[in-house]
């Protein structure tokens, strides 16, 4: 009987030990899963922020096009383009991309990248209209995009203090870097409670027409 009691006691001890190991492994798995979730959250935050900043630049692009199209300086451009305004040309090209399956936002960007560069080179007043809306230097693009980027970063609880906004002038696209905070799931014994910042970076689409906006000087009119 004493032997049986000892066996039962050992079995209980073994089961408790095994449950403890399982609990620790479970916490480790949960923490690993949480790291991936926080990383994905950070990645989505910066991607959304870069897209939001790009959308702000696109909005100013549309305003610049309207400014040019509504002025008398657009007459010469329409003569060269068969009576079509810059907006007409972009809309026409945008419809082609949409018909081939592009989203509305992507179709506009692709159309602008196709239509604007040669006309920015031919019509200095179009370039002036863009610089009036976007700034005289490519560094001014940060001011156009910053507010929208900050709104997205704050809305997604990423770390504003770690957020960095860059503009890649090789690909002419916005890059946003930031972090999201990981807090461990702890048992306060084997796995301690700690915080860690997980960095991620995201890009917006290429706005290659901006190279033509900021290349060369502006004409001097008497």
């Amino acid at each position: 009987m004493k032997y049986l009691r000892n066996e039962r006691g050992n079995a209980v001890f073994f089961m408790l030990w095994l449950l403890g190991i399982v609990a620790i492994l479970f916490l480790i798995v949960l923490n690993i899963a949480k790291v991936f979730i926080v990383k994905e959250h950070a990645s989505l935050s910066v991607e959304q922020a870069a897209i939001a900043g790009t959308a702000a630049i696109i909005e100013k692009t549309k305003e610049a096009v309207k400014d040019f199209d509504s002025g008398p300086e657009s007459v010469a451009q329409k003569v060269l383009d068969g009576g079509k305004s810059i907006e007409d040309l972009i809309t026409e090209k945008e419809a082609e991309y949409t018909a081939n399956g592009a989203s509305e936002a992507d179709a506009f960007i692709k159309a602008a990248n196709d239509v604007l560069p040669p006309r920015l080179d031919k019509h200095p007043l179009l370039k002036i209209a863009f610089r009036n809306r976007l700034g005289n230097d490519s560094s001014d693009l940060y001011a156009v995009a910053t507010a929208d980027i900050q709104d997205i970063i704050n809305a997604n609880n990423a770390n504003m203090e770690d957020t960095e906004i860059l503009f890649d002038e090789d690909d002419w696209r916005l890059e946003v870097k930031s972090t999201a905070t990981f807090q461990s799931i702890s048992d306060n014994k084997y796995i301690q409670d700690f915080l860690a910042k997980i960095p991620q970076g995201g890009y917006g689409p290429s706005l290659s027409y901006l190279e033509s906006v900021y290349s060369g000087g502006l004409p001097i009119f008497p």
Side-chain angles (χ1 to χ4, degrees), residues 46-58 138-146 148-149 164-169 171-177 201-207 210:
V46 291
E47 287 286 348
Q48 289 174 6
I51 290 170
T54 302
I57 294 173
I58 290 171
S138 59
S139 61
D140 295 327
L141 294 169
Y142 295 99
V144 176
T146 295
D148 293 84
I149 289 172
E164 184 179 4
I165 304 170
L166 307 170
F167 201 90
D168 182 352
E169 292 191 11
D171 294 319
W172 292 93
R173 63 183 183 179
L174 276 172
E175 178 184 2
V176 179
K177 296 180 180 180
Y203 294 93
S206 174
L207 305 178
L210 291 174

Side-chain angles (χ1 to χ4, degrees), residues 7-92:
E7 285 293 311
R8 283 196 293 269
N10 288 337
V12 170
F13 174 79
F14 176 76
M15 286 301 297
L16 290 173
W17 175 82
L18 185 60
L19 288 173
I21 294 298
V22 169
I24 292 171
L25 290 174
F26 182 67
L27 283 176
I28 292 172
V29 170
L30 282 180
N31 277 295
I32 292 172
K34 190 175 181 182
V35 166
F36 281 103
I37 291 170
V38 172
K39 182 179 179 182
E40 184 64 20
H41 179 75
S43 179
L44 287 173
S45 296
V46 291
E47 287 286 348
Q48 289 174 6
I51 290 170
T54 302
I57 294 173
I58 290 171
E59 188 59 35
K60 293 294 183 183
T61 294
K62 293 178 179 179
E63 292 172 6
V65 168
K66 287 184 181 295
D67 290 344
F68 177 79
D69 284 346
S70 63
E73 58 270 21
S74 66
V75 173
Q77 172 268 311
K78 289 175 183 174
V79 169
L80 292 174
D81 286 313
K84 296 177 182 178
S85 67
I86 300 290
E87 185 175 11
D88 291 338
L89 293 168
I90 291 175
T91 300
E92 188 177 89

Side-chain angles (χ1 to χ4, degrees), residues 60-135:
K60 293 294 183 183
T61 294
K62 293 178 179 179
E63 292 172 6
V65 168
K66 287 184 181 295
D67 290 344
F68 177 79
D69 284 346
S70 63
E73 58 270 21
S74 66
V75 173
Q77 172 268 311
K78 289 175 183 174
V79 169
L80 292 174
D81 286 313
K84 296 177 182 178
S85 67
I86 300 290
E87 185 175 11
D88 291 338
L89 293 168
I90 291 175
T91 300
E92 188 177 89
K93 182 64 70 172
E94 184 181 1
E96 292 178 16
Y97 281 115
T98 302
N100 288 326
S103 68
E104 184 177 336
D106 285 343
F108 178 86
I109 291 169
K110 290 177 179 179
N113 287 337
D114 287 346
V115 170
L116 290 172
R119 288 159 183 88
L120 283 161
D121 294 336
K122 286 180 183 178
H123 306 290
L125 290 173
L126 177 59
K127 185 179 291 191
I128 290 174
F130 268 85
R131 292 198 186 184
N132 285 340
R133 288 291 182 177
L134 294 172

Side-chain angles (χ1 to χ4, degrees), residues 126-203:
L126 177 59
K127 185 179 291 191
I128 290 174
F130 268 85
R131 292 198 186 184
N132 285 340
R133 288 291 182 177
L134 294 172
N136 286 322
D137 189 85
S138 59
S139 61
D140 295 327
L141 294 169
Y142 295 99
V144 176
T146 295
D148 293 84
I149 289 172
Q150 289 176 340
D151 286 345
I152 295 296
I153 292 295
N154 288 326
N156 284 283
N157 296 316
N159 296 313
M160 192 66 239
E161 68 275 13
D162 295 329
T163 299
E164 184 179 4
I165 304 170
L166 307 170
F167 201 90
D168 182 352
E169 292 191 11
D170 290 326
D171 294 319
W172 292 93
R173 63 183 183 179
L174 276 172
E175 178 184 2
V176 179
K177 296 180 180 180
S178 192
T179 65
T181 301
F182 165 78
Q183 182 172 13
S184 65
I185 302 170
S186 172
D187 63 353
N188 294 315
K189 185 177 180 182
Y190 296 104
I191 298 177
Q192 297 301 313
D193 186 27
F194 67 91
L195 300 175
K197 291 184 176 181
I198 298 178
Q200 288 289 287
Y203 294 93

